[in-house]
């Protein structure tokens, strides 16, 4: 057989050699091409969409030429950021109390507990000078993610130095750190998920489902910390600065943009651009991501723009993992905005030739910058020698954990309450509302298709195909066709989150019953997955393709919506195929393939029957369980404002739907009685919910598809 090249959306494959290979390997594309290309297809696609939006935003900013235009953009930035995070909570009594004091020669450290929301306890340390004349200038000091929380030696060095220099300084434990571990495990005396940033993203997943972000909680903690700082008689409310590193630099930037009470800012090791983030380390943990940020026309420098004309110092490390190129680009753009706003000279950038952290060169620059603006004098004095306290000495609670000392609320419980407030369901779901929720972008017309050979088997043939779902997205698929059938035959689209090769037995069983079966690797599944199986990181096992999923959300789309498109284009393909009965196209979704398939079936009535195997039971389940795992790729931002999965199932009636082996937020089986209770409102004669028996063959769950 002559071998000839076939080009599909940038990939080069040898069709003849594929046709000759064994049918035992259904993952044919990665065997015969540079697999890195197709593994990177999804990430490249969502990044390109992000770059388009970021470029459009850059052009818009470049057109700003007056102070009034700067002011208009500042208003827009604040409105869109607050909308993205879900708005701010109600300002309630702080109920602050001091639980202890540590005395130093030049200052004292007060141990404070306050409530940023009712019963949502925040542990903080207040550094108060003993010399000079109050009221003092003050520094709000949000923490980064480094170990030790409030007791980290670098933080103590800077906080003690500020107090010695005559500032009141306040720092507090951010979520997941110090005394505020949100998923505390009493047995292991640490977080159930170990890292604070992992806690952020576990809980951020819950927040997204109700239309919020985790930053809603962390920003509000910072604003309430500022409320407390300003309540102190020792503090001059007209002289407030904010500075922090990494996560603390992030929140210095956020808080300054959103709260005019902060007069001076000096964030360290955060400022860059989203383009450079996507080109390097990708989206970071949930507190740093505010979907639909790119679709809203925003980038990291916009936080600086919103701070103008207040003094703003960008502190960067040349060897930081936050790109120094991006930092320089963000600073250059922001400097022009400051100049346009009439605030030339109130923005500056200091680079140190070192790595991530609030190292001494940046600390010294921060002292000088803050002093220039709050004391009207430079500060080049050496850092004082500081006596460090142990972590236990700085504890504000008896046990060193809010959960075991005070109880109260967590992000999970507060988010659960937010979800309860949103629990309204539309009796007849509007397809437009579902399309908007998942960021669905319809593609019509002929499906571009390339065939890569046919393998003859006993009783059926296997065609290896690649079709283009939308420009830049190729979907590897295999079509099993029975050899002997009278007239047009029914067809099944099979979507398994583990990939088309994971369900060989089910595919052969269906084709043996006389159905044509098209098994596809929707984008990010099977051959198109960026993950590497057993070698995947713990982060990958917990959140899947987080980078692509979060980038999609930031652009206003979702992996659910994009995969639903892949499935609907498969319907387009089958509906025009000779020998296929277009009125009998069915679909099976397995594991992570079930949720996008359910959405596709809701949006496309040509899918006449549906089987869902191992599907997430509901989005509410993710909110109601403390921990989630492996569900991030199925997130739809704000979905619980519109619908939940049982609502979609109910809306499919009278089309037959069979649900088998629902799973919860960590992938554990949902007992049959609980599954039936969750879908009580969807129960009709067309819905069957079952739990597979151990001895039952996998195909049994799909046999209802054969019922005429």
């Amino acid at each position: 057989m002559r071998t000839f090249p076939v080009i599909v959306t940038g990939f080069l494959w040898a069709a003849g050699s594929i046709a000759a290979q064994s049918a035992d390997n259904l993952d044919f594309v990665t065997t015969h091409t540079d697999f890195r290309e197709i593994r990177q297809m999804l990430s490249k696609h969502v990044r390109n969409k992000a770059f388009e939006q970021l470029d459009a935003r850059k052009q818009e900013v470049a057109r700003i030429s007056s102070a009034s235009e700067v002011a208009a953009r500042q208003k827009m930035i604040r409105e869109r950021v607050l909308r993205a995070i879900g708005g701010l909570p109600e300002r309630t009594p702080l109920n602050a109390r001091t639980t202890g004091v540590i005395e130093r020669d030049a200052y004292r450290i007060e141990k404070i507990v306050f409530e940023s929301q009712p019963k949502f306890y925040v542990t903080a340390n207040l550094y108060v000078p003993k010399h000079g004349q109050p009221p003092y200038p003050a520094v709000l000091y949000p923490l980064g993610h480094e170990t030790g929380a409030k007791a980290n030696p670098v933080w103590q060095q800077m906080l003690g130095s500020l107090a010695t220099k005559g500032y009141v300084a306040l720092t507090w434990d951010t979520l997941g750190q110090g005394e505020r571990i949100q998923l505390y495990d009493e047995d292991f005396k640490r977080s159930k998920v170990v890292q604070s940033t992992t806690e952020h993203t576990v809980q951020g997943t819950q927040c997204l489902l109700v239309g919020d972000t985790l930053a809603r909680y962390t920003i509000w903690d910072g604003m309430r910390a500022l409320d407390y700082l300003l309540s102190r008689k020792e503090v001059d409310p007209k002289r407030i600065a904010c500075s922090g590193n990494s996560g603390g630099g992030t929140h210095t930037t956020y808080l300054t943009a959103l709260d005019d009470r902060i007069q001076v800012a000096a964030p360290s090791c955060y400022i860059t651009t989203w383009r450079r983030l996507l080109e390097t380390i990708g989206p970071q943990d949930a507190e740093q991501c505010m979907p639909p940020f790119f679709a809203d026309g925003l980038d990291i420098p916009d936080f600086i723009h919103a701070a103008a004309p207040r003094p703003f110092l960008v502190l960067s490390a040349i060897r930081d993992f936050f790109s120094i190129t991006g930092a320089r680009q963000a600073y250059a753009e922001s400097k022009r905005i400051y100049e346009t706003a009439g605030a030339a000279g109130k923005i500056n950038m200091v680079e140190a030739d070192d790595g991530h952290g609030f190292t001494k060169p940046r600390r010294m620059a921060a002292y000088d910058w803050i002093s220039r603006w709050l004391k009207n004098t430079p500060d080049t004095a050496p850092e004082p020698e500081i006596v460090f306290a142990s972590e236990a000495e700085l504890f504000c609670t008896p046990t060193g954990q809010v959960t075991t000392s005070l109880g109260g609320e967590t992000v999970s419980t507060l988010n659960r309450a937010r979800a309860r407030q949103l629990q309204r369901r539309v009796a007849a779901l509007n397809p437009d509302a579902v399309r908007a929720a998942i960021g669905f972008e319809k593609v019509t017309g002929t499906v571009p298709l390339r065939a890569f050979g046919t393998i003859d088997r006993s009783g059926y043939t296997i065609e290896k195909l690649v079709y283009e779902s939308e420009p830049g997205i190729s979907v590897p698929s295999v079509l099993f066709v029975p050899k002997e059938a009278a007239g047009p035959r029914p067809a099944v689209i099979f979507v398994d989150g583990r990939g088309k090769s994971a369900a060989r037995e089910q595919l052969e069983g269906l084709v043996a019953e006389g159905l044509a079966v098209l098994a596809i690797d929707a984008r990010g599944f099977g051959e198109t997955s960026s993950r590497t199986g057993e070698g995947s990181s713990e982060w990958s096992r917990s959140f899947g393709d987080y980078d692509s999923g979060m980038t999609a959300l930031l652009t206003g789309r979702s992996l659910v919506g994009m995969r639903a498109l892949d499935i609907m284009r498969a319907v387009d393909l089958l509906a025009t195929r000779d020998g296929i009965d277009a009125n009998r196209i069915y679909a099976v979704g397995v594991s992570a393939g079930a949720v996008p398939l359910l959405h596709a079936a809701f949006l496309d009535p040509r899918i006449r029957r549906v089987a869902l195997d191992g599907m997430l039971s509901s989005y509410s389940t993710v909110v109601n369980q403390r921990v989630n795992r492996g569900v991030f790729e199925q997130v739809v931002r704000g979905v619980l404002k519109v619908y939940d999965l049982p609502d979609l199932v109910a809306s499919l009636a009278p089309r037959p739907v069979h649900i088998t082996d629902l799973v919860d937020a960590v992938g554990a089986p949902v007992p049959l009685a609980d599954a039936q209770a969750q879908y009580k409102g969807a129960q009709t004669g067309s819905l069957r919910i079952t739990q597979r028996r151990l001895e039952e063959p996998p195909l049994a769950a799909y046999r209802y598809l054969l019922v005429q």
Side-chain angles (χ1 to χ4, degrees):
M1 182 179 293
R2 188 164 68 95
T3 299
F4 56 93
V6 179
I7 300 177
V8 180
T9 60
F11 302 119
L12 181 64
W13 299 316
S17 59
I18 292 173
Q21 76 174 44
S22 168
D24 292 335
N25 181 12
L26 300 183
D27 289 340
F28 61 99
V29 173
T30 52
T31 307
H32 290 271
T33 186
D34 183 350
F35 70 90
R36 289 169 296 185
E37 290 289 328
I38 199 162
R39 296 288 194 200
Q40 295 167 5
M41 176 186 69
L42 174 57
S43 61
K44 181 179 179 181
H45 181 77
V46 295
R47 280 200 311 270
N48 286 342
K49 178 70 172 180
F51 293 158
E52 289 176 9
Q53 294 174 336
L54 290 169
D55 287 345
R57 174 245 169 225
K58 188 174 182 179
Q59 293 172 11
E60 184 177 326
V61 171
R63 289 191 290 268
I64 294 175
S65 59
S66 68
S68 62
E69 290 176 324
V70 172
R73 184 165 182 84
Q74 288 176 319
K75 182 175 183 292
M76 178 274 286
I77 292 166
R78 288 193 177 189
E79 288 175 349
R80 292 186 181 180
V81 167
L82 290 174
R83 182 182 65 193
I85 67 173
L88 295 173
E90 179 187 357
R91 188 170 256 108
T92 52
L94 286 169
N95 298 325
R97 59 189 183 276
T98 302
T99 63
V101 178
I102 298 174
E103 299 290 347
R104 294 286 186 257
D105 291 342
Y107 57 90
R108 69 179 183 273
I109 306 172
E110 297 184 16
K111 308 178 201 180
I112 310 295
V113 177
F114 65 85
E115 299 174 30
S116 63
Q117 298 185 59
K119 304 298 182 182
F120 192 47
Y121 298 105
V122 180
T123 45
N125 290 160
L126 183 73
Y127 289 67
V128 183
K130 289 183 175 180
H131 56 84
Q133 185 64 40
Y136 302 104
V139 178
L140 194 66
Y141 196 86
L143 292 182
H145 300 139
E146 286 81 352
T147 58
K150 303 184 300 298
N152 183 282
V154 174
W155 311 154
Q156 289 195 62
Q157 175 65 58
M158 194 164 185
L159 290 160
S161 297
L162 287 166
T164 302
K165 292 171 179 290
Y167 301 90
V168 177
L170 178 67
T171 194
W172 64 99
D173 286 322
T174 192
L175 299 175
Q177 288 185 279
E179 299 178 78
R180 298 184 71 208
I181 294 175
Q182 301 291 288
L183 300 173
Y184 187 68
D185 189 299
E186 180 64 35
D187 294 323
F188 288 100
K189 308 298 181 185
R190 59 164 173 77
S191 172
K192 290 180 180 294
V193 295
V194 184
Q195 300 292 334
S196 61
T197 49
T198 307
E199 274 203 2
H200 293 169
T201 305
V202 166
Q203 295 179 318
T205 299
Q206 299 170 328
C207 294
L208 285 169
L209 294 173
V210 301
D212 298 343
T213 74
L214 188 76
R216 178 178 189 267
Y217 297 92
T218 55
I219 288 171
W220 190 239
D221 284 348
M223 289 183 171
R224 300 315 312 275
L226 181 54
D227 287 346
Y228 175 75
L229 187 62
L230 293 174
S231 75
R232 297 291 299 234
K233 66 181 185 303
E234 302 96 333
V235 172
D236 182 349
K238 295 182 180 180
R239 293 190 292 165
I240 305 295
C242 189
S243 185
N245 183 77
S246 190
T250 303
H251 283 84
T252 295
T253 307
Y254 289 173
L255 292 167
T256 306
L258 298 173
D259 199 322
D260 288 331
R261 296 175 297 175
I262 297 171
Q263 284 93 41
V264 181
S268 173
C269 288
Y270 165 65
I271 299 298
T272 186
T273 65
W274 262 106
R275 174 178 277 274
R276 287 300 296 148
L277 269 179
L278 295 177
E279 290 173 341
T280 54
I281 57 177
Q284 297 301 285
D285 67 289
E287 70 178 3
Q288 298 184 50
C289 299
M290 300 178 178
F293 204 64
F294 306 157
D296 274 346
L298 299 175
D299 197 357
I300 291 170
D302 282 305
F303 292 114
I304 307 177
H305 301 177
R310 289 167 288 158
F312 199 103
L313 177 65
V314 177
L315 297 165
S316 297
I318 292 174
R319 290 178 273 123
D320 195 1
F321 47 76
F322 285 113
S323 167
I324 188 62
T325 300
R328 290 166 178 163
Q329 292 169 345
Y331 171 68
E333 180 186 277
S334 300
K335 184 178 180 182
R336 191 187 75 80
I337 293 296
Y338 262 68
E339 291 169 350
T340 305
K346 287 190 174 182
I347 185 170
N348 199 9
M349 180 176 182
V350 171
E351 300 179 12
D353 189 9
D354 54 24
H356 193 77
F358 221 145
T359 58
K360 189 172 182 178
R362 284 188 294 285
R363 297 199 302 270
M364 297 299 292
Y367 300 141
D368 185 51
W369 183 257
I370 292 170
S371 182
R372 285 176 183 273
W373 295 105
L374 296 189
K375 294 184 176 181
N376 201 29
T377 182
D379 180 359
T380 58
E383 273 191 324
E385 187 173 331
I386 300 300
V387 177
F388 298 144
S390 69
E391 186 172 10
E393 288 177 298
L394 294 174
F395 281 161
C396 305
T397 60
T399 63
Q401 283 300 321
V402 164
T403 55
T404 54
S405 291
L406 304 174
E409 304 281 5
T410 64
V411 171
S412 293
T413 61
L414 291 173
N415 193 62
R416 207 170 300 151
R418 292 275 285 170
R420 286 195 296 270
Q421 295 171 2
L422 298 173
Q423 282 189 358
R424 59 180 182 83
R425 295 287 178 262
V426 180
L429 273 181
N430 183 344
D432 288 339
V434 175
R435 291 187 191 97
I438 64 177
F440 184 80
E441 296 183 1
K442 188 175 181 179
V443 177
T444 59
T446 303
V447 182
L449 176 68
R450 293 292 183 271
F452 293 89
T454 300
I455 296 175
D456 187 64
R457 307 295 283 179
S458 177
Y460 62 92
T461 59
I462 300 175
E463 299 178 25
K464 297 188 174 183
L465 311 168
V466 174
Y467 66 90
E468 185 180 85
S469 177
E470 63 178 310
I473 294 297
S474 296
V475 181
S477 55
V478 287
L479 178 62
F480 288 68
V481 182
K483 287 183 178 178
E484 296 181 5
R489 61 182 62 82
V492 177
I493 298 170
F494 201 99
V495 190
D496 192 324
R498 300 164 300 176
K500 62 185 178 302
S501 290
R504 183 58 179 269
E505 181 182 349
Q506 292 94 316
L507 301 179
E508 291 179 334
L510 288 169
V511 76
E513 299 286 352
L515 288 87
V517 184
L518 180 66
I520 71 171
D521 281 340
R523 67 189 81 187
F525 292 160
E527 294 188 83
T528 67
S529 172
S530 63
R531 302 170 68 190
T532 56
E534 295 301 321
S536 298
S537 66
E538 181 59 32
W539 180 273
S540 177
R541 287 189 289 272
S542 295
F543 304 113
D545 189 352
Y546 176 81
D547 282 10
S548 294
M550 181 57 81
T551 303
L553 293 171
L554 289 164
T555 66
R557 300 184 73 186
S558 69
L559 293 186
V560 170
M562 290 189 283
R563 287 167 175 162
L565 174 63
D566 295 341
I567 296 165
M568 292 165 70
R569 294 297 274 166
V571 178
D572 291 339
L573 191 157
L574 288 176
T576 58
R577 166 109 182 183
D578 289 341
I580 298 296
D581 185 346
N583 293 315
R584 290 189 291 166
I585 295 177
Y586 313 143
V588 176
V590 181
S591 64
V595 167
L597 181 111
L598 174 58
H599 282 80
F602 173 79
L603 295 174
D604 194 334
R606 294 175 300 170
I607 299 175
R608 301 304 176 91
R609 300 178 183 184
V610 176
L612 304 167
D613 187 1
M615 184 177 75
L616 175 68
S617 63
S618 68
Y619 286 124
S620 296
T621 293
V622 180
V623 173
N624 291 331
Q625 290 185 234
R626 289 182 68 197
V627 180
N628 54 80
R629 181 184 177 93
V631 301
F632 186 80
E633 292 186 29
Q634 302 175 65
V635 164
V636 173
R637 178 180 174 271
V639 65
L640 291 176
K641 293 181 178 180
V642 186
Y643 64 91
D644 203 348
L645 300 180
D647 301 314
L648 290 183
V649 170
S651 297
L652 294 184
R655 286 180 280 170
V657 179
H658 188 105
I659 298 175
T660 301
D661 292 350
L662 288 171
V663 298
D664 67 10
V666 294
V670 174
L672 182 58
D674 293 346
Q676 291 172 334
Q678 286 190 48
Y679 281 75
K680 182 178 181 181
Q683 294 281 3
T684 67
S686 60
L687 173 65
R688 296 169 57 193
I689 301 178
T690 63
Q691 197 165 41
R692 184 181 292 115
R693 297 185 300 274
L694 290 177
E695 70 278 7
E696 189 175 34
L699 184 61
Y702 316 137
R703 289 209 177 267
Y704 84 100
L705 290 170
L706 308 177
V707 178
Q708 302 303 309

